[in-house]
Amino acid sequence: MPNRLARETSPYLLQHADNPVDWYPWGDEAFARARAENKPLLLSVGYAACHWCHVMAHESFENEDTARVMNEHFVNVKVDREERPDVDSIYMQAVQAMTGHGGWPMTVFLTPDGYPFYGGTYFPPEDRHGMPSFTRVLTAVSDTFRKRPEGVAQSAAAMREIYENSAVPARSSGPLTPLILERAFRSLATTYDGARGGFGGAPKFPQAMAMDFLLRYWRRTGTEYALEMVRATFGHMARGGIYDQVGGGFARYATDVAWLVPHFEKMLYDNALLARLGVHLWQATGDLDVRRVTEETLEWVRHEMTAPSGGFYSTLDADSEGHEGRFYVWDASELDRLLGDDAAVVKQYWGVTQEGNFEGRNILHVPNDPRVVAQRAGMDVPALAAAVSRARQTLYDVRNQRIWPARDEKVLAAWNGLMLRAMAEAARAFGSAEYREAALANGEFLLECLVKHDDTSGGAGGARVLRSYKDGVARIAGFLEDHAAVALGFLALYELTFAREWLDHARELADACVARFWDEKTGAFHDTASDAEALVTRPRDVTDNAVPSGTSLAVELLLKLAELGHDVDMRRRANWVLDTLAEPMARHAVAFGHLLGAADMAVHGAVEVAIVGEPEADDFRALAATVARHYVPSLALAGGPPETAGGGSVGSGQAIALLEGRPAVGGAATAYVCRQYVCESPATTPESLAARLLAGSVAAPPADVAEDIR
């Protein structure tokens, strides 16, 4: 008989609906029972694409004997961390404090009032490699709770103190200066793997946000090593097994230092961040391989991760047919049978051997320079590329007949905002009608299904984003990251279309970020709204981990809108947050990648570009396309017809200051490039505009690559 999770919409929770465990979703019902029966809560947190979550579920949660122990001694609560990042963040902080590490599945034992007193991650079904069995942990925790309540109270009190310490008011760590950015660059350079790209050892994560900061740093300073780190890392990943050579898109991380063996789950947010980085790297370098990989990633999103409604799905599982990676690996004999005359050279290109490189089969990767492979095969590089292209299509068609990994089809606001931004920026840079259509469809979906309005709020902060959507149901009050990421996505749509309503929507959500998530007492943004469910603490995680923090997204949003509207209050608030985190950013750059991008804008100022004219006119489009082809860090872009320049309102009555007092010269579309509110002479041709865009750059301009390479 299904348990209470059968009434949920989260695919992860529904995976556990038939467990013999008497699961509760997170909520008052579980805590009320724990208080009434004086039982501890067992909180289990995971997500649908998590391999080890599946392992622990099969080993323990589906086991009748284990479930009996859980049901007898605990009130059992299952949480999807992607739906409730607030719950996940609070209790992950406790697990890390108790054990020195974290991860999923996360297993935490709570007092009836919600304070953690013991926790860990994965527990095996029997004692193994120094880890106690799950049943032994269950028995020991239950005995301790019943027989030694003073020890439980002491442990819970220690956690309460940690939470109280994390809620102290933010203080400035000194003014934000170029030296902070220099120290952050050096911090990243010291951990860079010069042989294989990336930062640190195995497991190796993409660190897209840190690389985006390095790209900015290169453009600002002309430091070629910064560009080299980004270009080499992107290239190593794109040639590695972490990149799906057949279907496009990146896996979550690599288990080895050479990017060969991925943890096969594919997450929407990783691909959003990497695709946006790819757009910027192509703008900076004109590298055709970077553009190809970026486009293949976005095509994967369009074809495999987009709902009919326009929303983007969350994840693809690592497992299929009960094995991690089964969907993605190949036997050498399969390629021989499927690829005919192309098989020999394609196997060389993708490093395929008879013995394989992963459990007897092959993860496709590109271990050698294609020029070397072509030379050895007695063909030129275009002929090799054609053979690989034919092979990709054949293998993709064959792979589609396999049993697919499970897809988590819930639509998360923050992750959609990140992908919307990447899709819209790619549409601008590549001039793609397909990406434009996908971006607009997603923006309309978010507006219709996940952005709601509270008419009782009296204006400011009246918009509210919901976190999750599935099967026609939108649920869970959105977090700071949801509001800020969606707003930045709407800003990207404004930059793509110059349709004023997208800017209005972005400003409305920025107002909501301040009204609902800013706390004057702490002088900081919090992850949950002021009217959200009360938890044991109000979380405030400022680090950029797998996704940008809500704080870093909100700071960037305020800075960009401050440029468009010359809003002093927005800039002041954003700069204060950056001042409070300046020293941590400098010391731990890899943990503040996105915030460092905002810091770059605060230190160096935005590059303000105003294009005056009719957005549908050819001369306006030519100027907009010129901006889109260039890598311009901290771009603040506005555009519109001269008769509305400075008119209308941005959200709560604010004009687009970048368009004020800037006429179209001689009736032609005209671009103004400004830095620190000092403008170059107006430009009416793409050539003159390009010269003005590059005037403030230290590094060389990118190659003008306009042809379609798909």
Side-chain angles (χ1 to χ4, degrees), residues 21 23 41-45 55-63 65-71 73-74 76-78 105-109 118-128 131-142:
V21 177
W23 289 116
L41 294 101
L42 188 162
L43 173 64
S44 176
V45 182
V55 171
M56 190 166 177
H58 296 322
E59 292 175 342
S60 296
F61 304 148
E62 295 171 7
N63 183 284
D65 293 333
T66 304
R68 192 175 300 112
V69 176
M70 294 173 66
N71 294 339
H73 297 292
F74 301 93
N76 304 291
V77 178
K78 176 63 74 173
M106 177 169 65
T107 309
V108 197
F109 298 92
Y118 184 74
T121 53
Y122 165 79
F123 292 104
E126 65 279 320
D127 293 349
R128 184 193 304 164
M131 290 187 291
S133 72
F134 189 46
T135 52
R136 191 148 70 90
V137 170
L138 293 173
T139 302
V141 170
S142 176

Side-chain angles (χ1 to χ4, degrees), residues 48 69 83 97 127 142 194 207 234 285 351 368 372 412 434 441 461 489 532 628 637:
V69 176
E83 281 195 332
D127 293 349
S142 176
Q207 305 297 358
F234 196 94
T285 65
N368 298 305
V372 174
L412 296 173
E434 293 84 1
L637 177 63

Side-chain angles (χ1 to χ4, degrees), residues 262-553:
H263 187 31
F264 289 90
E265 65 193 29
K266 282 181 173 181
M267 318 297 285
L268 183 69
Y269 59 77
D270 285 315
N271 287 281
L273 296 170
L274 286 165
R276 184 166 179 258
L277 174 67
V279 171
H280 295 171
L281 186 55
W282 177 80
Q283 289 171 320
T285 65
D287 189 307
L288 296 178
D289 278 335
V290 170
R291 176 168 173 168
R292 172 185 60 81
V293 169
T294 302
E295 291 186 320
E296 288 172 0
T297 298
L298 293 172
E299 288 302 307
W300 166 72
V301 173
R302 288 205 315 127
H303 293 145
E304 297 185 15
M305 300 297 287
T306 303
S309 63
F312 300 128
Y313 297 136
S314 294
T315 66
L316 279 183
D317 208 330
D319 297 8
S320 58
E321 302 181 66
H323 296 276
E324 185 179 9
R326 174 65 60 87
F327 185 71
Y328 298 100
V329 295
W330 302 86
D331 293 326
S333 59
E334 285 182 285
L335 271 63
D336 289 332
R337 185 177 71 255
L338 295 169
L339 303 182
D341 293 341
D342 290 334
V345 68
V346 167
K347 286 197 298 182
Q348 274 200 350
Y349 176 82
W350 276 328
V352 174
T353 63
Q354 201 65 37
E355 60 274 16
N357 54 30
F358 179 74
E359 298 178 355
R361 307 188 81 191
N362 289 274
I363 299 169
L364 303 186
H365 65 302
V366 185
N368 298 305
D369 189 312
R371 292 171 297 182
V372 174
V373 175
Q375 184 179 37
R376 289 174 179 171
M379 61 172 60
D380 58 24
V381 172
L384 172 62
V388 171
S389 180
R390 289 191 296 270
R392 287 184 81 240
Q393 188 60 57
T394 297
L395 296 187
Y396 186 81
D397 292 341
V398 170
R399 197 174 76 176
N400 279 352
Q401 304 308 310
R402 294 177 175 176
I403 296 174
W404 275 66
R407 181 170 63 190
D408 187 333
E409 294 187 352
K410 70 175 179 289
V411 176
L412 296 173
W415 299 7
N416 271 247
L418 296 177
M419 183 55 75
L420 169 57
R421 194 178 190 191
M423 194 73 73
E425 291 194 15
R428 284 182 59 240
F430 302 152
S432 168
E434 293 84 1
Y435 300 160
R436 180 188 179 98
E437 181 182 356
L440 284 168
N442 184 257
E444 295 290 353
F445 163 81
L446 291 171
L447 271 182
E448 180 179 350
C449 297
L450 285 173
V451 177
K452 306 301 178 183
H453 289 84
D454 178 6
D455 295 332
T456 66
S457 66
R464 185 188 297 272
V465 177
L466 298 179
R467 173 68 175 179
S468 179
Y469 177 93
K470 187 173 183 295
D471 298 333
V473 178
R475 59 194 302 270
I476 303 175
F479 305 98
L480 177 62
E481 65 178 29
D482 296 301
H483 290 72
V486 170
L488 286 167
F490 289 166
L491 265 183
L493 278 178
Y494 170 71
E495 293 172 345
L496 173 65
T497 65
F498 298 104
R500 179 58 179 268
E501 58 266 25
W502 294 114
L503 184 54
D504 291 344
H505 295 315
R507 177 57 189 255
E508 188 177 39
L509 291 181
D511 289 342
C513 287
V514 175
R516 300 187 192 281
F517 298 92
W518 180 261
D519 183 357
E520 287 293 345
K521 290 182 180 179
T522 57
F525 284 107
H526 288 264
D527 297 332
T528 55
S530 55
D531 58 353
E533 170 193 359
L535 303 172
V536 294
T537 188
R538 191 179 178 193
R540 187 176 92 199
D541 187 354
V542 297
T543 56
D544 300 316
N545 295 306
V547 295
S549 72
T551 291
S552 68
L553 290 167

